[in-house]
Amino acid sequence: DTAVSQTPKYLVTQMGNDKSIKCEQNLGHDTMYWYKQDSKKFLKIMFSYNNKELIINETVPNRFSPKSPDKAHLNLHINSLELGDSAVYFCASSSLAGVETQYFGPGTRLLVL
Amino acid sequence: QKEVEQNSGPLSVPEGAIASLNCTYSDRGSQSFFWYRQYSGKSPELIMSIYSNGDKEDGRFTAQLNKASQYVSLLIRDSQPSDSATYLCAVNMVGQAGTALIFGKGTTLSVSS
């Protein structure tokens, strides 16, 4: 049983395109997150959702828009992709925002050409 | 700017030795502290969590927390080559918009056989 799953695992696309990454968790958690891990392996929070509501929105360009249709899903849509968006994007979930353990998905490797 | 600091390494130890990984954090209000292990190309996985001052042991791993010094450490006893990975320290930090985990940049551990 996969606790936190993401699709796709790999995404190669051209600059200027729009793409989406999907995340689902079957842990019954209330809080979900998107992290970006850059080429230097630095893992940084982008967004946090609690029960479908946005609670954290770090300094992220408006081209990134998260959407949570229900508390088990958190998708990330990226408009007008840029070279600097190339990174690994991890989805995570936890039972209590920022306090309890976060469980990570396998990551989506995005390469913008 | 709330920060989590780790030595990037690499930290090299021989098989069977003790590996000591250190982390300092800037937010005195932090309540939850985590050590994650990340193998190359994989997602972070939880090794230890610690919430109160002192030591917490789990198998070959011991986490130590000193809130007065704003310091967290991870000791790995009887290090094995399979322990070779990047170890990420994560600390919860409360901001205006909610609570998030802030990650350090990670320490790369190499265990030689």
Side-chain angles (χ1 to χ4, degrees):
Chain A
D1 278 350
T2 303
V4 183
S5 59
Q6 293 178 231
T7 54
K9 288 188 71 174
Y10 300 95
L11 191 50
V12 181
T13 188
Q14 300 288 327
M15 268 194 336
N17 284 349
D18 302 338
K19 291 294 178 185
S20 292
I21 307 172
K22 295 186 176 182
C23 178
E24 177 181 1
Q25 55 96 2
N26 62 7
L27 297 167
H29 289 162
D30 291 326
T31 308
M32 296 184 72
Y33 312 82
W34 278 111
Y35 287 88
K36 178 181 180 180
Q37 189 168 45
D38 59 24
S39 57
K40 295 182 180 177
K41 308 300 182 188
F42 185 39
L43 193 63
K44 189 171 181 182
I45 183 76
M46 298 174 69
F47 301 102
S48 171
Y49 266 75
N50 182 259
N51 278 322
K52 303 193 300 176
E53 288 194 24
L54 180 66
I55 57 171
I56 288 176
N57 181 356
E58 289 295 304
T59 307
V60 176
N62 291 337
R63 299 181 295 102
F64 291 80
S65 53
K67 283 191 171 53
S68 182
D70 55 61
K71 73 174 192 177
H73 296 84
L74 180 62
N75 303 324
L76 183 65
H77 188 76
I78 315 170
N79 289 326
S80 303
L81 278 155
E82 300 179 356
L83 294 177
D85 298 332
S86 296
V88 181
Y89 292 85
F90 287 103
C91 176
S93 72
S94 69
S95 60
L96 194 60
V99 177
E100 296 295 330
T101 301
Q102 292 186 19
Y103 295 89
F104 283 79
T108 296
R109 293 180 177 276
L110 171 64
L111 178 61
V112 182
L113 302 175
Chain B
Q1 182 81 9
K2 297 178 179 179
E3 294 182 340
V4 175
E5 299 280 350
Q6 294 181 253
N7 289 329
S8 61
L11 174 64
S12 297
V13 300
E15 185 175 357
I18 295 175
S20 177
L21 304 162
N22 304 314
C23 171
T24 58
Y25 59 95
S26 62
D27 186 0
R28 286 195 172 275
S30 297
Q31 301 170 315
S32 306
F33 307 86
F34 304 89
W35 283 99
Y36 283 83
R37 178 177 62 197
Q38 187 175 25
Y39 292 112
S40 182
K42 301 294 185 182
S43 59
E45 57 175 327
L46 182 73
I47 298 296
M48 293 282 287
S49 60
I50 187 166
Y51 301 96
S52 53
N53 279 330
D55 295 359
K56 179 181 178 183
E57 187 174 321
D58 183 1
R60 296 186 295 111
F61 299 94
T62 299
Q64 299 173 317
L65 174 61
N66 183 328
K67 289 186 179 179
S69 301
Q70 295 173 242
Y71 175 87
V72 193
S73 67
L74 179 70
L75 298 178
I76 307 174
R77 289 182 300 282
D78 188 24
S79 295
Q80 301 297 309
S82 59
D83 294 327
S84 299
T86 297
Y87 290 79
L88 302 170
C89 174
V91 178
N92 87 307
M93 294 193 182
V94 180
Q96 289 182 337
T99 303
L101 281 188
I102 306 298
F103 282 82
K105 294 187 177 181
T107 298
T108 301
L109 173 65
S110 176
V111 181
S112 55
S113 56

